[in-house]
Amino acid sequence: LAAFAGPSLVAPDLSGNALPLYFSRPISRFDYVISRLLVMVGLLAPVTLIPGLLLFAMQSGMAGWDWFVANWNLGASVFAGFALWIVFVSLVAMASSAYVKWRIIAGALVIAFFFVLAGVAQLVNGILRVEWGILISPALAMNQIWRAMLGAEPLDGPEAYDCLSMIGVMAVGLIWILNRKLRPVEVIT
C-alpha cells in the first residue's frame, strides 16, 4: 500500500516543479512533509494499527477487566510498534518518491528497499557468521523491537535497543534525503 500510494504524494510535485509555488505561500518544508506523512498514516493505519488494537480490544472484552489490567502493556506495545512502523514505511515511501521523481520507479524502490536490505542482512550473517546483520534489515530490526515490546523471546542477535537505534539512524537518513530533495528551485529562462 505504501509502495502504491506513497510515490504519488511527492513525485508529481517534484516533476511538475510545484514546490516553488507551494513554498511561496506560508508553508514550510516541515509542514509539507508532515502533511504528506499524515496522508500516509491515514492510509496505513486502517490496515495495521486499527486491526491490532481491535484484536486487543476483543481479547479484553472476552477475557474481562482483570486480563486488561494485567496485560494493558500489550495494547500499548501494539500501538507503539505499529505507529513506529507506519512512520518508518511512510518515510521510506516519501524519500523514494523525492529521490526518483517517477512514480513507478519510486514504488519499485520502496519494495526494493526492504527486499534488498533483507538480502544484504542475510548475506552478512551468512558470510561473516555473525548475528548483527539483522540491523541492516528494517523488517528484521522491527521484528526484534516488537518482540521486546511484547515480551516475546528475542531472535539471536542484537538487542532491541540496538535495533531501535538503527531504525532511528535509517529514519534520520530518510529525513535528510527529504530535506535535501524538497527545496524550492525556481528556473528562470
Side-chain angles (χ1 to χ4, degrees):
L1 189 58
F4 178 72
S8 63
L9 292 175
V10 178
D13 295 340
L14 288 171
S15 62
N17 291 328
L19 289 181
L21 179 64
Y22 285 149
F23 296 145
S24 67
R25 307 282 183 223
I27 184 173
S28 66
R29 276 188 281 180
F30 179 76
D31 296 336
Y32 178 82
V33 169
I34 291 296
S35 67
R36 300 302 191 220
L37 187 67
L38 287 175
V39 169
M40 288 298 296
V41 168
L43 288 171
L44 296 176
V47 296
T48 55
L49 188 62
I50 293 172
L53 292 177
L54 184 63
L55 183 66
F56 178 77
M58 288 174 57
Q59 176 63 32
S60 296
M62 289 188 283
W65 180 253
D66 293 334
W67 186 88
F68 176 80
V69 170
N71 297 300
W72 66 270
N73 59 337
L74 291 177
S77 297
V78 166
F79 178 80
F82 280 141
L84 179 63
W85 185 243
I86 288 170
V87 169
F88 184 77
V89 169
S90 300
L91 284 174
V92 169
M94 290 178 4
S96 298
S97 178
Y99 194 76
V100 176
K101 295 183 187 177
W102 293 318
R103 282 184 239 162
I104 294 172
I105 296 174
L109 186 61
V110 171
I111 294 169
F113 179 84
F114 292 102
F115 282 112
V116 168
L117 289 179
V120 169
Q122 293 301 323
L123 191 70
V124 166
N125 283 344
I127 291 176
L128 299 178
R129 299 178 199 270
V130 295
E131 298 296 330
W132 56 263
I134 68 170
L135 288 173
I136 300 169
S137 172
L140 292 174
M142 279 301 299
N143 188 353
Q144 191 79 322
I145 294 167
W146 283 327
R147 286 173 176 269
M149 292 171 69
L150 294 172
E153 187 173 326
L155 298 171
D156 292 335
E159 297 292 322
Y161 294 113
D162 299 330
C163 293
L164 186 61
S165 299
M166 191 61 176
I167 293 290
V169 166
M170 287 181 189
V172 167
L174 295 168
I175 290 169
W176 179 78
I177 289 171
L178 282 171
N179 188 35
R180 181 168 156 75
K181 292 293 184 176
L182 296 179
R183 293 189 178 176
V185 178
E186 184 177 352
V187 178
I188 300 174
T189 58

